[in-house]
Amino acid sequence: MVKIAESWQPVLAAEFEKPYFQKLTAWVRGEYATTTVYPLGSQIFHAFDACPFEEVKVVILGQDPYHGKNQAHGLAFSVNEGVRTPPSLQNIFKELQDDVPGTPAPANGNLDRWAQQGVLLLNATLTVRAATPGSHQKKGWEEFTDAVIRKVSEGRPHVVFILWGAYAQKKEELIDARKHLILKAAHPSPYSADRGFFGSKPFSQTNAWLEKYNEQPIAW
């Protein structure tokens, strides 16, 4: 059995038995045995451990884990405490403070505080080789995380899906737009943030939607 939070076991059990996932698991184990891979093996499924299925209210989609030392810890866009906040996350925090005036400046780049309120911070690919972005793409992770998106869309009510950048926006087809809110904007990377990320107000829009359905808003 895959070491994933108990609440996700029945949701994803069928995926774990599929040939692609068995093949992926063997390949990833080989990578961890022979090279440096991020995040730590114990943190691969941290996004699920930190945010139980029955509590998912928001999904923020990323692409790859950070590939620098001590950065990635299993949550999209998040870094371990004590690690310099990466440029994309700096821009996320900048937009947050413009969008929700009065929000305290984050003490660090660890987004566990969001996950614990029902924000699933999901990367499309859950592992990466050190200093080699994209190195674990197209090995099976995307098939797995696509299944996660579908399961959340099917099994949870009134979720906000936040899709930043063209890669994340391709996942829109997996989401039932009749019951969920889909927020799309440019990626927060310094290369694209000025082209529609800044001013997109994802945080206030998310909370307005949650309050509409009598859900507790996120304390960003």
Side-chain angles (χ1 to χ4, degrees), residues 54-126:
E54 65 275 8
E55 295 178 17
V56 176
K57 298 192 288 191
V58 182
V59 179
I60 298 179
L61 288 176
Q63 189 166 355
D64 265 10
Y66 296 117
H67 54 85
K69 187 176 181 182
N70 295 330
Q71 289 183 303
H73 66 121
L75 303 181
F77 295 104
S78 180
V79 290
N80 281 303
E81 290 182 35
V83 175
R84 182 176 172 273
T85 303
S88 290
L89 186 53
Q90 289 180 29
N91 285 339
I92 290 170
F93 289 159
K94 183 170 186 271
E95 173 63 17
L96 169 58
Q97 295 198 281
D98 288 344
D99 182 14
V100 186
T103 302
N108 55 65
N110 186 321
L111 301 181
D112 267 304
R113 60 188 179 277
W114 293 3
Q116 289 160 7
Q117 299 178 75
V119 181
L120 181 66
L121 292 149
L122 181 68
N123 278 318
T125 303
L126 299 188

Side-chain angles (χ1 to χ4, degrees), residues 1-4 8-26 45 48 53 122 124 126 139-152 154 174:
M1 185 178 282
V2 175
K3 289 182 179 177
I4 197 168
W8 288 91
Q9 287 283 357
V11 179
L12 298 171
E15 292 303 308
F16 300 146
E17 300 304 318
K18 290 180 179 178
Y20 87 85
F21 195 86
Q22 307 281 329
K23 186 177 177 183
L24 168 66
T25 300
F45 295 110
F48 303 90
F53 179 75
L122 181 68
L126 299 188
K139 302 295 183 182
W141 277 131
E142 295 91 341
E143 188 169 348
F144 173 70
T145 52
D146 281 0
V148 172
I149 295 166
R150 279 194 208 95
K151 292 292 187 183
V152 171
E154 292 164 5
L174 306 171

